Amino acid sequence: MTQKTLFTPLQLGEFTLRNRIALPPLTRCRSEQPGNVPGEMMVEYYRQRASAGFMVTEGTQIEPRGQGYAWTPGIHSQEQIAGWKKVTEAVHQQGGVIFCQLWHVGRVSHHELQPAKQAPVAPSAVPAEGVRVFIETGPGAGMLTAPSVPRELSTQEVKEIVELYRLAAENAKEAGFDGIELHSANGYLINQFISEHSNFRTDEYGGSLQNRLRFLREIIVAVSAVFGSDKVGVRFAPLFTTTDEERVYLGLVESDPHATYISAAQMLNELQVGYLSIAEADWDNSPDMPEAFRIALRETFRAPIMYSGRYTREKAEQVLSKGWGDFFGFGRTFIANPDLPARFKQNVGLNSVDSATLYGGTGKGYTDYPVYNS
């Protein structure tokens, strides 16, 4: 049997991915204001990176309450749909495959970002700790601050948000996306329902793990009715350790992350989800994900698995050779190297990322990274 490489094509549902090098979801805060609309700068950014085998957009809020950071794009207005349509057309012209990551931050927000400056919504009225949100303080200027105390959603409101996910999937389809990914990681709304640290509900969405997974299950069923389950991905961040490092976002460490996320993967498998995306711990000196978890995940979930989080080419090839993962997101590396597949193929050096220009700003550090000329 021939050894698979990052350039071995991969079948993902009906799509044949030309390589296994993926652009993972990367928040860049470059949407046009007012209205959080994808503009020409975003079109160019995605076009430049369309040689990826697979692309997922930055987190894209499904409704105004779903925003936790200034200048992130949405997919709930006609202007936003029109903006994204230009992105998908640019990517498809380059032969790329692009999914839209549907995002709702839940409690990881601030009343300054909420409609009528209301409290953010969450499964329970428990504030997020050890995390910062980004609010606008003036045109093109902002600051990091602690999230506001959220209010608990009623059972009926939870069901209404499931419907908002379905509508967002409809909008993504109208915008020309090939599929959608559900952001269920990093302590945002779906993760808040799953986690024992943020869900203290006593209705059908709280208590047992199966109840805490119900919100995600209902969303998957709803968006699968729009795209088909094979065009739906789910992103988890099954953290086994944490850090005291000040971070924009991180996620929640369950008392038994192995059992929590293997059960979740089992549910995804039953619902015939198209792929599972795993965001690994990515802070400096973070430990590797336990091998036992990778093996159990592979045994549990039958469709392709994508890994990302401080991946190098070497690490990706090692995980691929062991059969634990199928395709790999290269985050900051892809930001700094829009032609990353070509660079990997030619074995040439990589540009380093400019951390100062990751969030917000102009085309500097966004669309001006040099490409490799062979």
Side-chain angles (χ1 to χ4, degrees), residues 103-181:
W103 190 28
H104 196 307
V105 299
R107 68 180 188 168
V108 186
S109 187
H110 191 276
H111 57 78
E112 286 290 339
L113 294 160
Q114 294 291 309
K117 301 196 177 180
Q118 295 287 307
V121 296
S124 301
V126 181
E129 295 178 350
V131 63
R132 292 287 175 265
V133 295
F134 185 73
I135 62 170
E136 187 175 65
T137 54
M143 61 175 271
L144 287 167
T145 187
S148 301
V149 177
R151 71 167 182 85
E152 181 171 320
L153 290 158
S154 70
T155 305
Q156 181 55 35
E157 285 178 311
V158 176
K159 295 180 187 303
E160 287 165 5
I161 291 180
V162 173
E163 172 62 10
L164 288 174
Y165 270 97
R166 191 193 65 76
L167 288 172
E170 294 273 14
N171 292 344
K173 197 167 196 179
E174 189 184 331
F177 283 103
D178 297 305
I180 53 114
E181 178 177 288

Side-chain angles (χ1 to χ4, degrees), residues 57-71:
T57 69
E58 60 215 272
T60 303
Q61 55 260 10
I62 65 164
E63 63 148 327
R65 294 180 304 176
Q67 184 171 16
Y69 307 89
W71 317 318

Side-chain angles (χ1 to χ4, degrees), residues 8 139 327:
T8 307
F327 58 135

Side-chain angles (χ1 to χ4, degrees), residues 17-224:
L17 308 185
R18 55 191 166 192
N19 62 57
R20 294 162 185 255
I21 302 161
L23 178 76
L26 298 160
T27 295
R28 304 302 309 275
C29 302
R30 294 300 208 288
S31 67
E32 290 187 351
Q33 303 306 314
N36 297 320
V37 176
E40 289 305 322
M41 196 160 63
M42 282 176 60
V43 173
E44 180 59 20
Y45 170 80
Y46 285 102
R47 179 193 285 118
Q48 288 176 353
R49 289 156 183 79
S51 62
F54 185 70
M55 307 173 81
V56 187
T57 69
E58 60 215 272
T60 303
Q61 55 260 10
I62 65 164
E63 63 148 327
R65 294 180 304 176
Q67 184 171 16
Y69 307 89
W71 317 318
T72 54
I75 192 145
H76 51 81
S77 75
Q78 281 306 312
E79 294 79 12
Q80 291 163 351
I81 294 167
W84 279 121
K85 199 164 197 171
K86 292 178 183 172
V87 172
T88 61
E89 285 170 355
V91 168
H92 290 150
Q93 281 165 9
Q94 306 288 321
V97 174
I98 185 164
F99 278 36
C100 183
Q101 192 192 58
L102 302 185
W103 190 28
H104 196 307
V105 299
R107 68 180 188 168
V108 186
S109 187
H110 191 276
H111 57 78
E112 286 290 339
L113 294 160
Q114 294 291 309
K117 301 196 177 180
Q118 295 287 307
V121 296
S124 301
V126 181
E129 295 178 350
V131 63
R132 292 287 175 265
V133 295
F134 185 73
I135 62 170
E136 187 175 65
T137 54
M143 61 175 271
L144 287 167
T145 187
S148 301
V149 177
R151 71 167 182 85
E152 181 171 320
L153 290 158
S154 70
T155 305
Q156 181 55 35
E157 285 178 311
V158 176
K159 295 180 187 303
E160 287 165 5
I161 291 180
V162 173
E163 172 62 10
L164 288 174
Y165 270 97
R166 191 193 65 76
L167 288 172
E170 294 273 14
N171 292 344
K173 197 167 196 179
E174 189 184 331
F177 283 103
D178 297 305
I180 53 114
E181 178 177 288
L182 297 171
H183 196 344
S184 312
N186 301 122
Y188 297 123
L189 185 63
I190 296 175
N191 193 182
Q192 288 158 36
F193 272 87
I194 295 170
S195 178
E196 63 201 302
H197 303 300
S198 47
N199 183 343
F200 300 97
R201 302 178 69 89
T202 54
D203 64 359
E204 66 206 81
Y205 296 101
S208 69
L209 177 58
Q210 292 313 306
N211 277 5
R212 299 198 312 270
L213 286 168
R214 188 186 303 274
F215 182 53
L216 173 57
R217 175 187 282 275
E218 290 182 0
I219 293 168
I220 292 169
V221 170
V223 298
S224 295

